[in-house]
Amino acid sequence: MADKKTFYITTPIYYPSDKLHIGHAYTTVAADAMARFKRLTGYDVMFLTGTDEHGQKIERLAREKGVTPKEYVDNIVAGIKVLWKLMDISYDDFIRTTEERHEKVVQRIFKKLYDQGDIYKGEYQGWYCTPCESFWTERQLVDGKCPDCGGKVELVKEEAYFFKLSKYQQRLIEYIEAHDEFIQPPSRKNEMLNNFLRPGLEDLCVSRTSFRWGIPVSFDDKHVVYVWIDALSNYISALGYMTDNDEKYRKYWPADVHLVGKEIVRFHTIIWPIMLMALGEPLPKQVFGHGWLVLEGGKMSKSKGNVVDPVVLVERYGLDAIRYFLLREVPFGADGVFSNEALINRINSDLVNDLGNLVNRTIAMVDRYFDGLIPQPEAPGDIDAELRQLAVSTPARVEELMNKFEYSNALAEIWKLIGRANKYIDETTPWVLAKDPDKRHRLGTVLYNLSECLRMISVLISPFMTRTPGKICQQLGIRDESLTTWDSLAEFGKLPPGTRIQRGEIIFPRLDVEKELKELEEIQQRAKQASQNSGATHTAQQEAAQVSSQAMHQGRQEAPQRKEQGDGKISIDDFAKLDLRVARVISAEAVEKSNKLLKLILEVGDETRQVVSGIAKYYAPEQLVGKKVILVANLKPAKLMGIVSEGMILAATDDEGNLTLLTVDHDIASGSRIS
């Protein structure tokens, strides 16, 4: 163990205001797959997850429920741990910010920063968003609401301690510019530099007096530590930092990667590294901000009642189907759309038709033609060599892609091998070979090659799918654990001939698409209704509905007046709300049953977007590929002809109705912001 290279990976610590949804599972499954992959490839792994349990929101929710804050979070955390067990999350430690081991470290960190002058006492006045646990200045509000969640804010004025972010601003800029790998994907790096650091940092409020559910400041118990020094410190408090038992800190820090959602990249790449700089500690090697897994109607939200319960999906389709879908469907780093239809189609296509079919056909033929014993192969022919070469070269490609957090592409490489093996069956036609006694040796070679491919595939998929590899190995009769290691993939032919197979049940049964869609819709409608009828959530929804109603009413009242008095001009602030980006057309195709619409796949920096555009009369699909167009990137997703459109591309139309797309020179990179 001492000779192994270490790998420390973390998830965010989740806020236990309610049970978690599929978006949280997405982050945690991704971290788990990486932890499993690193263990498989010989690393000493430390995998940390946990919960962020303090704050005013928890205090309020507990009061509404008639319980203490600790009782409230204990109940939620118990459910989270059950969920992670259900999802086979192989964490090495689960940190709770209410644990004494964490609270003591936070108090010591706060005191050290105060003693060296990086924390000072002052007075704070600003707009506070309770759900986000964030303060905002007047200019940061969007239409008088929180810029992150769009919720109500309240004006707060109180004594507080502040952390001197501004003191370390330039040092952090220089560090980020010198370490390209620190913030990934690169688009997040540019966002942090241009939107936050270079415009200038304000000192950070790090204590509160208006509520008590938090870690007391050790030298001023009127104050509790506020959010970020508390929450972010978990990554080192779990390792024993600033304690007599800091062996894990010395062994695993700095973290190899903090895996977080893009909405909290700012805290992990600005506040957290500045904290570490002030403490004189090394910075994490990388912060990877992945995209959102959104529903077709927009981002999942407990207050909207549109969250997807991963427990329901796992119980219905099996754990591995859900883990596979989460990691395969969306390029990691980009936003992706979760839909029931995409899930079911992915299961039927990849798991039933491809992997499941390969297992079923291979095992059935070994059982039928060789009495259930893995046959002895002969010297390979050209077609055999091609399959064998692909099998032994796939692990290196998977490892390369996984090191770049390209989960979807890594799985695509594995599925190339699965697809090639299925094609190999069609090319070699074992059922024809079986009819000719003179070709029995050839038949044996074919079925051995397929069985060995299955063994190698079971190892390759094991970080992503935790149950299926064991089922494959059981059917292949594999009991020797050395045949399930990453090292065993270096050479083709490890599976001993003569091994007795154990034919089992179909691993992935085919789903009736229409039936499943109908039943899932009913399940989710019932869950939404239950959410709407529940205490705190119902209250929040009523408030949101009231605000929305008021806003709509005000809009209707004011609109005529604006029309009469206005001159049609907008302010620079109005223009600034638009996020215009350069996008490159990767592919284009006509939308079925429409003579107007084209479906475009756009490259926007490090992410891809699907946009439906009514330009089919003016452009053939093949004319568009490679063009660099202008995308309205922050437009709410919409459905056209049943297809989700994630933005809008800009075009000009003359008086005669002729349309031309707005394009840019090819020497500017996709993802570039237009201002």
Side-chain angles (χ1 to χ4, degrees):
M1 186 68 78
D3 297 330
K4 287 186 176 182
K5 292 172 67 176
T6 62
F7 186 82
Y8 181 26
I9 184 170
T10 71
T11 72
I13 51 172
Y14 301 109
Y15 200 58
S17 58
D18 205 342
K19 64 181 185 180
L20 304 188
H21 56 65
I22 197 73
H24 302 107
Y26 178 50
T27 307
T28 312
V29 165
D32 179 70
M34 185 58 70
R36 289 175 180 272
F37 181 77
K38 289 297 182 179
R39 293 189 194 106
L40 186 64
T41 53
Y43 286 78
D44 175 3
V45 172
M46 176 69 186
F47 172 21
L48 178 70
T49 190
T51 43
D52 172 16
E53 301 180 17
H54 292 122
Q56 189 173 11
K57 184 178 181 179
I58 296 290
E59 190 175 75
R60 288 181 179 178
L61 288 170
R63 191 182 304 119
E64 290 169 6
K65 294 285 187 182
V67 297
T68 68
K70 186 63 165 59
E71 289 171 334
Y72 183 88
V73 295
D74 282 351
N75 182 56
I76 301 288
V77 171
I80 292 172
K81 287 187 174 182
V82 169
L83 174 60
W84 292 160
K85 186 176 181 179
L86 178 70
M87 303 291 296
D88 272 354
I89 305 302
S90 62
Y91 58 79
D92 297 290
D93 196 357
F94 189 107
I95 185 75
R96 299 181 61 181
T97 58
T98 52
E99 294 176 52
E100 185 178 4
R101 62 167 174 159
H102 174 76
E103 292 185 345
K104 295 290 187 188
V105 172
V106 169
Q107 287 179 322
R108 290 165 188 160
I109 289 173
F110 197 102
K111 182 67 162 55
K112 179 178 180 179
L113 295 176
Y114 177 78
D115 287 344
Q116 65 191 37
D118 285 319
I119 287 179
Y120 62 92
K121 185 184 281 190
E123 186 178 75
Y124 191 88
Q125 178 171 318
W127 295 95
Y128 181 65
C129 175
T130 298
C132 294
E133 301 266 2
S134 294
F135 281 107
W136 304 100
T137 63
E138 188 79 39
R139 65 178 176 82
Q140 289 174 314
L141 300 179
V142 178
D143 297 327
K145 297 178 181 177
C146 174
D148 276 358
C149 73
K152 293 194 301 183
V153 293
E154 52 190 311
L155 188 62
V156 173
K157 183 177 181 180
E158 62 184 86
E159 181 183 89
Y161 286 94
F162 292 83
F163 177 43
K164 293 181 180 178
L165 286 182
S166 54
K167 176 180 172 182
Y168 296 91
Q169 173 182 311
Q170 187 56 37
R171 182 175 163 186
L172 181 58
I173 291 172
E174 291 169 0
Y175 183 90
I176 293 172
E177 290 177 335
H179 296 81
D180 289 336
E181 75 290 346
F182 178 55
I183 305 175
Q184 292 294 321
S187 58
R188 312 268 187 254
K189 168 186 171 181
N190 298 331
E191 182 184 358
M192 294 304 110
L193 286 170
N194 297 331
N195 295 1
F196 297 102
L197 281 163
R198 289 183 178 128
L201 295 176
E202 296 180 357
D203 290 349
L204 182 71
C205 176
V206 290
S207 81
R208 298 289 304 279
T209 60
S210 54
F211 62 90
R212 300 309 304 158
W213 182 236
I215 301 171
V217 174
S218 60
F219 53 89
D220 191 347
D221 60 9
K222 184 172 71 173
H223 290 254
V224 294
V225 180
Y226 173 60
V227 186
W228 299 116
I229 287 184
D230 178 2
L232 292 166
S233 298
N234 88 90
Y235 302 123
I236 53 179
S237 69
L239 302 179
Y241 176 70
M242 276 192 170
T243 71
D244 294 333
N245 186 21
D246 65 352
E247 291 85 359
K248 285 185 177 179
Y249 180 78
R250 288 185 277 110
K251 183 178 185 180
Y252 293 109
W253 192 259
D256 289 87
V257 62
H258 293 315
L259 211 59
V260 301
K262 67 179 184 180
E263 73 278 8
I264 55 173
V265 166
R266 174 163 58 96
F267 310 122
H268 287 78
T269 59
I270 295 177
I271 298 174
W272 179 225
I274 287 179
M275 281 175 57
L276 290 165
M277 284 178 174
L279 291 168
E281 301 296 336
L283 272 57
K285 298 174 187 176
Q286 188 173 99
V287 177
F288 196 108
H290 66 75
W292 287 335
L293 191 65
V294 301
L295 295 174
E296 290 178 324
K299 189 173 183 284
M300 290 180 217
S301 166
K302 293 167 188 168
S303 63
K304 294 179 183 176
N306 70 344
V307 298
V308 177
D309 188 348
V311 175
V312 172
L313 297 178
V314 170
E315 289 177 346
R316 192 169 185 87
Y317 303 114
L319 173 62
D320 279 4
I322 304 307
R323 285 180 63 109
Y324 176 78
F325 175 80
L326 291 174
L327 298 170
R328 179 69 176 89
E329 184 70 9
V330 182
F332 203 66
D335 288 348
V337 178
F338 176 91
S339 71
N340 296 332
E341 189 171 6
L343 170 64
I344 295 163
N345 287 336
R346 181 70 73 175
I347 292 172
N348 275 345
S349 171
D350 295 11
L351 301 182
V352 178
N353 291 353
D354 295 342
L355 178 58
N357 197 34
L358 179 62
V359 174
N360 299 337
R361 295 166 83 187
T362 301
I363 297 297
M365 289 189 290
V366 172
D367 187 42
R368 181 178 179 182
Y369 301 137
F370 288 90
D371 298 321
L373 297 175
I374 302 291
Q376 179 72 46
E378 292 186 330
D382 290 344
I383 193 170
D384 305 321
E386 182 186 340
L387 178 66
R388 291 164 65 129
Q389 177 57 37
L390 181 61
V392 296
S393 62
T394 297
R397 289 198 296 274
V398 169
E399 191 162 2
E400 180 185 354
L401 291 164
M402 286 295 286
N403 287 336
K404 295 188 289 186
F405 291 87
E406 295 185 21
Y407 297 92
S408 182
N409 289 336
L411 282 165
E413 287 296 323
I414 299 170
W415 252 251
K416 285 180 184 177
L417 175 59
I418 294 169
R420 187 64 190 88
N422 275 314
K423 185 180 179 183
Y424 177 79
I425 294 175
D426 297 334
E427 292 170 336
T428 57
T429 57
W431 52 91
V432 175
L433 296 175
K435 296 176 181 178
D436 188 346
D438 293 338
K439 294 185 177 175
R440 183 167 177 79
H441 291 300
R442 176 61 188 155
L443 175 63
T445 299
V446 168
L447 293 184
Y448 180 87
N449 289 340
L450 289 169
S451 301
E452 175 67 344
C453 278
L454 276 180
R455 179 193 71 81
M456 299 178 77
I457 289 164
S458 74
V459 178
L460 288 164
I461 65 173
S462 62
F464 313 94
M465 305 165 71
T466 62
R467 309 284 175 85
T468 303
K471 293 177 180 178
I472 295 173
C473 286
Q474 185 178 12
Q475 294 204 32
L476 287 172
I478 295 173
R479 293 184 175 85
D480 183 353
E481 290 187 0
S482 70
L483 298 177
T484 65
T485 66
W486 192 259
D487 289 343
S488 74
L489 304 180
E491 182 182 347
F492 194 94
K494 293 283 190 180
L495 184 61
T499 302
R500 180 166 294 281
I501 66 163
Q502 298 180 22
R503 195 170 180 180
E505 296 180 353
I506 294 175
I507 296 176
F508 295 105
R510 181 167 298 281
L511 302 174
D512 183 322
V513 177
E514 294 301 321
K515 178 186 174 185
E516 293 300 322
L517 288 175
K518 183 180 177 182
E519 292 189 13
L520 279 177
E521 182 66 25
E522 289 173 355
I523 290 169
Q524 288 165 4
Q525 283 299 322
R526 289 196 297 270
K528 185 175 182 178
Q529 189 62 47
S531 173
Q532 291 173 338
N533 293 334
S534 68
T537 303
H538 183 54
T539 301
Q541 288 175 331
Q542 285 180 319
E543 291 175 355
Q546 186 179 4
V547 170
S548 176
S549 176
Q550 289 172 348
M552 290 173 65
H553 180 71
Q554 290 169 356
R556 286 194 294 269
Q557 293 289 323
E558 294 170 4
Q561 186 176 4
R562 285 197 299 269
K563 187 174 181 180
E564 293 170 4
Q565 296 180 358
D567 58 2
K569 295 180 180 179
I570 64 172
S571 70
I572 190 66
D573 292 333
D574 293 323
F575 178 75
K577 293 175 184 178
L578 291 174
D579 185 9
L580 302 177
R581 301 281 180 148
V582 176
R584 183 173 68 89
V585 181
I586 300 173
S587 67
E589 62 184 60
V591 173
E592 289 185 17
K593 300 179 182 179
S594 172
N595 58 5
K596 296 181 179 180
L597 300 178
L598 295 180
K599 183 175 77 173
L600 312 178
I601 303 299
L602 307 177
E603 173 194 86
V604 191
D606 295 307
E607 63 176 300
T608 57
R609 293 281 191 97
Q610 176 176 279
V611 171
V612 180
S613 183
I615 57 173
K617 288 175 59 179
Y618 308 96
Y619 291 91
E622 59 271 16
Q623 290 178 278
L624 296 169
V625 176
K627 280 187 178 292
K628 288 192 175 176
V629 297
I630 298 174
L631 173 72
V632 183
N634 60 341
L635 198 66
K636 290 182 178 178
K639 255 189 174 183
L640 300 172
M641 298 287 289
I643 303 171
V644 176
S645 183
E646 305 168 289
M648 179 177 70
I649 58 173
L650 300 185
T653 308
D654 64 19
D655 292 338
E656 297 179 0
N658 299 309
L659 178 145
T660 301
L661 287 175
L662 299 186
T663 60
V664 297
D665 291 339
H666 285 252
D667 59 354
I668 189 166
S670 71
S672 300
R673 189 185 295 273
I674 295 171
S675 59

